[in-house]
C-alpha cells in the first residue's frame, strides 16, 4: 500500500489561491462534482462554474437573469446568448429587453460575447456595451427571418463601436439600412432592407454614419469576419481607415451574383489589405483586384495565410491564387465539399504546375504548407469534420528527400475509389516535383496516412 509523501499537505491547509488554481485545471464535469462535496467546495468552484455561460434560448436568458445571483455574473468570461424562443409562447419585448439589460449590466468581465438574435434588440441596450471594457471578441448572428425581422447594420455597427477595446468582430446575415442603401429599395434582386432604424442614436465616434464600412474606423479592431451579408456599399473605398486588420474573412451574399460578390470582395481587399496577415475567401478574385489600389502592386503585402472555404468556386482556384501571387503567402488551406474533391485535386495540380513553370520566379516562393480538408454539407462550413485530413505538407526544411514521407495517426475511414485515385495522383505529382529538384531545395513531405477523405455521414 502506498502512502502519501511526508511533505504532502492536506487540501484544507492549502492557500485559497492554490485551491482556485487547482480547480481551474479541472474539466467541467469534475468541477460540478467537486462543487457538490460541501459548502466550501461550492464556494471555491463558483468562479469556474460560471466562467462559460451558454444560454441557448430566450427562455433560458430570462430564467438565468431571474434565478442566478448577480454576484456570480462577475465570474463570467465567455457568454453566448440566443434570443430565439424555445416554444411558441414567446415573452414580450419588454421582458426580453429587461432580461438582457440585467445580464449585460452585471456581466462586466466578459472577454467573449456571442449574440444569436432572432430579431432586433431594443436600441436602449446599446449603451450597455460601453461598460464592457474587457470584451475583446464579439459575434453577432441573425437567426430570424430576413424579410420579417431583419437585423440592421446601423444597430450592429453602433454596438460594435460602443465596445471600448473590441479586437475581433464576426457578423452574419446583417441587413442593409434604407438610410445607407436607398438604391436597394424595391430593386432587383430585392435584397432585404431595414426601414425605421433612423431613431438609432448617433454614436459619439461615428456620428450618424452607422453603415458597415464605418467598422474600419474602429482603431482597436484586428479581426473582421462578415458572412452572408450584402457588401455593396461603395463607401468601403472612401471610409477613413483607423484599424490595422490582421485577419479578414469575407463571405458571399446569396441574393447577389458571383460577379457582384467578387467586385465587393475586391473593393474591400483593395482598401484594407495592406495590413492583412490571414485571408479567408468565399469568392473568386481576378486580376482586377488591385485596380482599386493603383498604382500599388498589391495591397496584400503582409498576407501569409490564405483559406479557401467550401463555398469557393473550384473553377477559380488557379486564377485567384495567381492574383495573390504577389503576396508572401506561406500557408494555403483548402476546404471543400466531398463532391468537389476530384475537381479540387485537379485544380491544385494545375496550380502546382504553374508554379513549376515559373521556375525561379517569386511565384509563391514562400509557400511552405498546403492542406486540404472536406466538410460533409453546407452547414459544416465553420466546423471541419472530425476526420478531416491534410493531403500534403510542403516545408522548407532542407533538401529533397523522399524518405521524409511519414504518416500521422488518424482514424481509418472509407473513401470513394475515385477520390482515392485523385488524391494519390496529387501525391505522386508532389513527389515528382521533389525528385525533379524543381522546388529550389525545398523538401516535400507527404502525409500518406492522411491522404483520404471521409464519406458523407449525414
Amino acid at each position: 500500500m502506498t502512502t502519501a509523501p511526508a511533505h504532502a499537505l492536506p487540501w484544507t491547509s492549502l492557500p485559497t489561491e492554490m485551491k482556485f488554481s487547482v480547480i481551474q485545471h479541472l474539466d467541467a464535469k469534475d468541477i460540478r462534482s467537486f462543487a457538490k462535496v460541501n459548502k466550501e467546495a461550492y464556494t471555491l468552484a463558483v468562479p469556474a462554474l460560471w466562467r462559460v455561460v451558454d444560454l441557448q434560448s430566450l427562455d433560458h436568458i430570462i430564467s438565468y437573469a431571474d434565478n442566478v445571483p448577480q454576484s456570480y455574473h462577475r465570474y463570467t468570461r465567455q457568454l453566448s446568448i440566443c434570443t430565439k424562443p424555445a416554444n411558441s409562447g414567446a415573452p414580450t419585448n419588454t421582458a426580453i429587453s429587461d432580461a438582457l439589460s440585467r445580464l449585460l449590466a452585471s456581466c462586466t468581465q466578459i472577454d467573449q460575447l456571442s449574440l444569436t438574435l432572432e430579431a432586433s434588440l431594443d436600441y436602449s441596450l446599446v449603451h450597455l456595451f460601453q461598460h464592457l471594457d474587457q470584451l475583446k471578441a464579439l459575434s453577432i448572428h441573425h437567426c430570424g427571418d430576413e424579410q420579417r425581422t431583419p437585423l440592421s447594420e446601423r444597430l450592429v455597427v453602433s454596438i460594435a463601436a460602443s465596445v471600448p477595446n473590441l479586437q475581433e468582430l464576426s457578423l452574419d446575415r446583417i441587413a442593409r439600412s434604407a438610410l445607407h442603401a436607398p438604391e436597394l429599395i424595391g430593386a432587383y434582386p430585392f435584397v432585404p432592407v431595414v426601414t425605421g432604424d433612423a431613431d438609432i442614436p448617433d454614436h459619439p465616434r461615428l456620428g450618424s454614419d452607422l453603415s458597415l464600412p464605418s467598422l474600419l474606423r474602429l482603431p482597436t479592431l484586428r479581426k473582421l469576419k462578415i458572412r452572408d451579408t450584402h457588401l455593396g456599399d461603395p463607401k468601403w473605398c472612401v471610409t477613413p481607415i483607423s484599424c490595422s486588420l490582421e485577419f479578414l474573412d469575407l463571405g458571399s451574399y446569396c441574393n447577389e451574383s458571383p460577379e457582384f460578390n467578387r467586385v465587393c470582395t475586391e473593393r474591400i481587399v483593395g482598401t484594407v489589405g495592406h495590413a492583412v496577415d490571414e485571408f479567408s475567401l468565399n469568392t473568386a478574385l481576378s486580376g482586377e483586384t488591385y485596380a482599386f489600389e493603383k498604382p500599388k502592386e498589391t495591397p496584400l503585402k503582409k498576407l501569409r495565410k490564405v483559406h479557401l472555404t467550401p463555398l469557393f468556386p473550384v473553377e477559380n482556384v488557379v486564377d485567384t491564387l495567381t492574383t495573390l501571387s504577389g503576396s508572401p503567402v506561406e500557408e494555403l488551406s483548402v476546404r471543400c465539399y466531398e463532391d468537389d474533391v476530384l475537381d479540387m485535386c485537379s485544380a491544385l495540380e494545375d496550380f502546382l504546375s504553374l508554379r513549376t513553370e515559373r521556375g525561379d520566379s517569386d511565384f509563391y516562393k514562400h509557400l511552405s504548407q498546403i492542406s486540404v480538408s472536406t466538410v460533409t454539407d453546407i452547414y459544416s462550413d465553420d466546423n471541419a469534420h472530425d476526420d478531416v485530413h491534410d493531403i500534403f505538407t510542403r516545408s522548407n526544411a532542407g533538401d529533397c528527400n523522399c524518405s521524409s514521407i511519414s504518416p500521422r495517426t488518424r482514424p481509418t475511414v472509407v473513401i470513394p475509389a475515385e477520390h482515392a485515385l485523385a488524391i494519390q495522383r496529387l501525391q505522386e505529382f508532389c513527389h515528382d516535383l521533389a525528385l525533379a529538384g524543381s522546388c529550389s531545395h525545398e523538401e516535400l513531405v507527404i502525409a500518406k496516412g492522411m491522404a483520404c477523405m471521409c464519406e458523407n455521414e449525414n
Side-chain angles (χ1 to χ4, degrees):
M1 182 178 68
T2 59
T3 58
H7 62 275
L9 297 176
W11 172 262
T12 53
S13 66
L14 294 178
T16 302
E17 293 77 7
M18 187 174 292
K19 292 179 181 179
F20 279 130
S21 179
V22 171
I23 295 171
Q24 292 295 332
H25 286 81
L26 300 177
D27 60 31
K29 181 179 179 181
D30 290 337
I31 292 174
R32 289 192 295 268
S33 298
F34 175 80
K36 299 176 182 178
V37 173
N38 53 38
K39 184 176 180 179
E40 181 197 20
Y42 179 79
T43 302
L44 290 170
V46 163
L49 284 172
W50 304 102
R51 182 178 182 83
V52 179
V53 176
D54 185 9
L55 305 177
Q56 300 181 3
S57 73
L58 189 51
D59 308 77
H60 291 165
I61 297 172
I62 295 177
S63 177
Y64 186 89
D66 289 341
N67 298 294
V68 176
Q70 287 198 7
S71 59
Y72 289 1
H73 295 176
R74 69 179 185 272
Y75 299 118
T76 302
R77 297 296 181 269
Q78 300 178 30
L79 177 61
S80 297
I81 295 175
C82 178
T83 63
K84 191 171 185 177
N87 50 62
S88 57
T92 64
N93 288 336
T94 301
I96 298 172
S97 298
D98 177 68
L100 287 176
S101 178
R102 285 184 288 152
L103 197 56
L104 293 175
S106 56
C107 293
T108 57
Q109 299 302 308
I110 55 175
D111 52 44
Q112 297 181 37
L113 175 60
S114 176
L115 299 175
T116 302
L117 307 177
E118 186 184 42
S120 181
L121 295 178
D122 191 289
Y123 303 157
S124 63
L125 297 177
V126 174
H127 78 279
L128 296 173
F129 290 86
Q130 300 174 6
H131 308 291
L132 302 179
D133 295 330
Q134 303 303 315
L135 182 57
K136 301 295 189 298
L138 173 63
S139 172
I140 303 178
H141 168 70
H142 179 225
C143 65
D145 189 311
E146 279 191 298
Q147 298 292 341
R148 295 189 297 107
T149 59
L151 186 59
S152 171
E153 63 178 320
R154 289 178 56 79
L155 175 64
V156 168
V157 172
S158 183
I159 290 175
S162 297
V163 180
N165 300 301
L166 184 64
Q167 296 181 2
E168 303 177 19
L169 178 62
S170 177
L171 304 177
D172 189 18
R173 300 182 74 235
I174 307 303
R176 299 291 305 281
S177 169
L179 288 179
H180 305 304
E183 72 280 0
L184 296 179
I185 300 176
Y188 183 82
F190 307 109
V191 174
V193 178
V194 179
T195 58
D197 58 352
D199 54 344
I200 295 179
D202 291 354
H203 190 271
R205 178 186 298 155
L206 304 180
S208 61
D209 188 5
L210 300 177
S211 61
L212 287 172
S214 292
L215 294 171
L216 302 180
R217 296 171 59 188
L218 307 184
T220 60
L221 192 62
R222 295 295 178 267
K223 297 183 179 182
L224 179 61
K225 175 181 178 180
I226 306 179
R227 293 284 185 91
D228 205 6
T229 298
H230 191 278
L231 298 174
D233 195 329
K235 286 187 292 186
W236 284 108
C237 287
V238 296
T239 298
I241 303 175
S242 301
C243 61
S244 295
L245 289 181
E246 299 170 358
F247 173 85
L248 182 63
D249 184 335
L250 300 176
S252 55
Y253 184 57
C254 59
N255 289 336
E256 289 286 3
S257 67
E259 177 64 17
F260 179 88
N261 289 318
R262 179 188 65 79
V263 171
C264 292
T265 299
E266 292 175 350
R267 179 188 292 128
I268 299 173
V269 170
T271 302
V272 302
H274 61 280
V276 173
D277 172 83
E278 192 168 349
F279 190 17
S280 183
L281 278 164
N282 286 264
T283 306
L285 298 181
S286 71
E288 297 298 316
T289 301
Y290 305 143
F292 295 101
E293 193 69 0
K294 289 179 179 178
K296 296 181 180 179
E297 294 181 359
T298 171
L300 296 165
K301 294 183 177 181
K302 296 184 179 180
L303 182 63
R304 296 188 305 108
K305 300 178 182 178
V306 175
H307 307 285
L308 303 184
T309 72
L311 295 176
F312 188 90
V314 177
E315 64 272 16
N316 296 116
V317 169
V318 176
D319 290 342
T320 296
L321 293 179
T322 300
T323 298
L324 297 174
S325 62
S327 302
V329 177
E330 298 174 3
E331 298 179 19
L332 169 63
S333 67
V334 179
R335 295 177 62 199
C336 63
Y337 298 119
E338 294 175 352
D339 292 342
D340 293 332
V341 169
L342 299 178
D343 292 335
M344 184 57 71
C345 287
S346 177
L348 289 175
E349 286 187 47
D350 292 341
F351 163 66
L352 292 173
S353 295
L354 183 60
R355 185 186 184 281
T356 303
E357 293 171 3
R358 297 292 180 92
D360 295 330
S361 70
D362 291 339
F363 189 82
Y364 283 93
K365 68 176 182 180
H366 300 287
L367 186 62
S368 61
Q369 179 174 311
I370 300 178
S371 62
V372 179
S373 58
T374 60
V375 294
T376 56
D377 55 52
I378 192 170
Y379 301 106
S380 303
D381 184 23
D382 290 329
N383 298 296
H385 195 283
D386 289 340
D387 293 330
V388 158
H389 305 281
D390 292 333
I391 287 182
F392 69 89
T393 300
R394 189 166 62 84
S395 62
N396 299 328
D399 294 333
C400 298
N401 185 351
C402 292
S403 64
S404 298
I405 299 174
S406 58
R408 297 185 193 177
T409 302
R410 287 282 184 172
T412 301
V413 292
V414 180
I415 62 173
E418 62 271 22
H419 290 190
L421 289 174
I423 296 167
Q424 181 181 1
R425 186 168 60 249
L426 180 59
Q427 288 181 318
E428 292 173 351
F429 182 82
C430 296
H431 273 295
D432 292 341
L433 290 180
L435 291 172
S438 60
C439 294
S440 302
H441 303 291
E442 295 172 352
E443 180 180 22
L444 283 177
V445 180
I446 305 175
K448 277 188 173 179
M450 303 177 67
C452 52
M453 299 294 172
C454 304
E455 287 189 334
N456 194 320
E457 298 181 3
N458 291 349

